[in-house]
Amino acid sequence: MEKRLICLGVCITVTAFILAFALIYTGIVPLAPTGNRPLATIFLESTFNAEKWWIWAGSPEVVTSILWDYRGIDTVYETTVFFLAIIGAITVVRTMKLLPETSGKGRGLTVIAKTITKITFATIPIIAFSIAVHGHLTPGGGFQAGSAFAVAPLLVIAALSLRLLVERGWGKERLLALRTTGLILIGIIAIIVPILAILRHSIAYIMQNQAKLWAPAGLSAVVDLLGVKSLLSGTLFWLNLSEFLAVSAGLSLVFVLLAAPTKNFDKEVKTQ
Amino acid sequence: MIWDIVGWIGVALIVLGAIMDLIASIGMHRFRNFYLRLHAATVGMIGGAFYPLIGLGLLSLSLEYLGITRYYIAGISFVSALFVLLTAPVGSHVLARAAHRAGIKPEPINVDRLQEDIGKGVMEE
Amino acid sequence: MIKDIVWIYYYASLILITFMSIYGIAVRPNLLKKIIMLSILSDTANMLAVLLGYHILSPKPPVYPGGTFSTTQFPSQEQLSTFAKYAVDPIPQVLVVTAIVIGLAVLVFLSFVAVLIYRRYGTLDMRVVSKKARHEVK
């Protein structure tokens, strides 16, 4: 048995190296590339180029501007796919009622773990909100911020208890409502520029951010915010905030549902 | 001059972190039971995450071409290092307690205070 | 020469991890381990996509000219072309962000299906589960 496994490992390793050689020397993948492809150069040069205002996105962060501006509709559908996965998860546990009385004893771990969890729990939402707000300036964005935020309820479930979380109002219905609110906000921001364009008797596309040559409507990139000229990059800032709301509520919902005790509905599944 | 020295200290801390990670992974592989492996994991957490983060902060402080960005990088590194320092011991504490409650006894054992406390009724279960 | 060896090592290690995760999906009977291996496989594919857009040209990391929260100054054309020369390809990274979200959706759904299977059959061993399911049909 041992000899067979070692033989298999050696064979797989040798095959991997041969495949890597083949991939490189047939030119399918680049070996130590010495420059960017033309498309990448176009994106890198034009996202924050105020002189090419007809193709710019108004954001110095190239990944966010491709994600929410140039390929915006794709990202909206991707968020919808995640929403559908959460809906499927809720369907699996649809007969379960999440009440404080039925969500565990609520004892938690030791005092050491509880104290450190409280300190960490206070900082996680701040960091997540910071990532979401700076999503159009630095690497990060709505999804990353939401994933960071969802660590907070996970920590509370692990160290304190699920019961505390449910007592404080992190129930199933409220989180689902927040998730839906985030998705609706994304939809509204997607059609806000066309609505503005209709009011001004011009044309615009869905998910349009900055003004184009043939569609001269758009939100301005630099906004006067309480007397300070701030770079909000048009719709990108608001899209990041809505995605942050949607993803943080959705992932928290997933964690709460996965942690819920199942005594009250185990029988039901078995008799189905 | 002084910043050069700070930068080299940072590089040394990063290299030290890599060595610590190597030692921790060897330990994870070779130690006999859960508690000994937990010891190796803690070496990996403190030595392999705390030291490189401090080193990264010092290194970024010494790179002047980064402009004002280097203070952001250094601040984030130091705060992350502080949180790793806070959470790593708690993680190993919780893991050890869970293993003890699950019935895994430390094998080369002289004294088991946790078991004594449970027997006296100081701690539940 | 050293550079060639390093790049072959990158690709070979990614292909090796792909093989290992496919082995895990196919051979391991535990559903939880299958799901873990599936997530490792998707992460390896994302890593390969990021590696395709990667290159080292400048000795120091490129910093985007301009771009703080209260900026109103836009970068000049020379700064932008220098940045475009030294920065890595952003398009694979965008695709990877999308792929990570989709992978997370798949992971969430698969974990709930695993929970359901465990509640119904009391085990995650797929051999036992398939035997029990066949028995139920009969």
Coordinates of all heavy atoms in Angstrom, one line a residue, chain B residues 34-35 38 41 45 89-101:
Chain B
F34 N -1.8 15.6 20.0 CA -2.4 16.9 19.7 C -1.8 18.0 20.4 O -1.5 19.1 19.8 CB -3.9 16.8 20.1 CG -4.6 18.0 19.8 CD1 -5.1 18.4 18.5 CD2 -4.9 18.9 20.9 CE1 -5.7 19.5 18.3 CE2 -5.6 20.1 20.6 CZ -6.0 20.4 19.4
Y35 N -1.5 17.9 21.7 CA -1.0 19.0 22.5 C 0.4 19.4 22.0 O 0.7 20.6 22.0 CB -1.0 18.6 23.9 CG -2.4 18.4 24.4 CD1 -2.9 17.1 24.5 CD2 -3.2 19.4 24.8 CE1 -4.1 16.8 24.9 CE2 -4.5 19.2 25.2 CZ -5.0 17.9 25.3 OH -6.2 17.7 25.7
L38 N 0.0 21.4 18.9 CA -0.5 22.7 19.2 C 0.6 23.6 19.6 O 0.6 24.8 19.2 CB -1.5 22.6 20.4 CG -2.4 23.7 20.6 CD1 -3.3 23.8 19.4 CD2 -3.2 23.5 21.8
A41 N 2.0 24.7 16.4 CA 1.1 25.6 15.7 C 1.3 27.0 16.3 O 1.2 28.0 15.5 CB -0.3 25.2 15.8
M45 N 2.2 30.6 14.6 CA 1.3 31.8 14.6 C 2.1 33.0 15.1 O 2.0 34.1 14.4 CB 0.1 31.5 15.5 CG -1.1 30.9 14.8 SD -2.5 30.9 15.8 CE -2.4 29.5 16.7
P89 N -2.7 33.3 21.1 CA -2.8 32.5 22.4 C -4.2 32.0 22.7 O -4.4 30.9 23.2 CB -2.3 33.4 23.4 CG -1.5 34.5 22.7 CD -2.2 34.7 21.4
V90 N -5.2 32.9 22.4 CA -6.6 32.5 22.7 C -7.0 31.3 21.8 O -7.7 30.4 22.3 CB -7.5 33.7 22.5 CG1 -8.9 33.3 22.7 CG2 -7.1 34.8 23.4
G91 N -6.6 31.4 20.6 CA -6.9 30.3 19.7 C -6.4 29.0 20.2 O -7.1 27.9 20.3
S92 N -5.1 28.9 20.6 CA -4.5 27.7 21.1 C -5.1 27.3 22.4 O -5.3 26.1 22.7 CB -3.0 27.8 21.2 OG -2.6 28.9 22.0
H93 N -5.5 28.3 23.3 CA -6.1 28.0 24.5 C -7.5 27.3 24.3 O -7.8 26.2 24.9 CB -6.3 29.3 25.3 CG -7.4 29.3 26.3 ND1 -7.3 28.7 27.5 CD2 -8.7 29.8 26.3 CE1 -8.4 28.8 28.2 NE2 -9.2 29.5 27.5
V94 N -8.2 27.8 23.4 CA -9.6 27.3 23.1 C -9.4 25.9 22.5 O -10.2 24.9 22.9 CB -10.3 28.2 22.2 CG1 -11.6 27.5 21.6 CG2 -10.7 29.4 22.9
L95 N -8.5 25.7 21.6 CA -8.3 24.4 21.0 C -7.9 23.3 22.0 O -8.4 22.2 22.1 CB -7.2 24.4 19.9 CG -7.6 24.9 18.6 CD1 -6.4 25.1 17.7 CD2 -8.6 24.0 17.9
A96 N -7.0 23.7 22.9 CA -6.5 22.8 24.0 C -7.7 22.4 24.9 O -7.8 21.2 25.2 CB -5.4 23.4 24.8
R97 N -8.5 23.4 25.3 CA -9.6 23.1 26.1 C -10.6 22.2 25.5 O -11.1 21.2 26.1 CB -10.3 24.4 26.5 CG -11.3 24.3 27.5 CD -11.9 25.7 27.8 NE -13.3 25.6 28.0 CZ -13.8 25.4 29.2 NH1 -13.1 25.1 30.2 NH2 -15.1 25.3 29.3
A98 N -10.9 22.5 24.2 CA -11.8 21.6 23.5 C -11.3 20.2 23.4 O -12.1 19.2 23.5 CB -12.1 22.2 22.1
A99 N -10.0 20.0 23.1 CA -9.4 18.7 23.0 C -9.5 18.0 24.4 O -9.9 16.8 24.4 CB -8.0 18.7 22.6
H100 N -9.3 18.7 25.5 CA -9.4 18.1 26.8 C -10.8 17.7 27.1 O -11.0 16.6 27.7 CB -8.8 19.1 27.8 CG -8.6 18.5 29.2 ND1 -9.6 18.3 30.1 CD2 -7.5 18.0 29.7 CE1 -9.1 17.8 31.1 NE2 -7.8 17.6 31.0
R101 N -11.7 18.5 26.7 CA -13.1 18.2 27.0 C -13.6 17.0 26.1 O -14.5 16.3 26.5 CB -14.0 19.4 26.8 CG -14.0 20.3 27.9 CD -14.9 21.5 27.6 NE -16.3 21.2 27.6 CZ -17.2 22.1 27.7 NH1 -16.9 23.4 27.8 NH2 -18.5 21.7 27.6

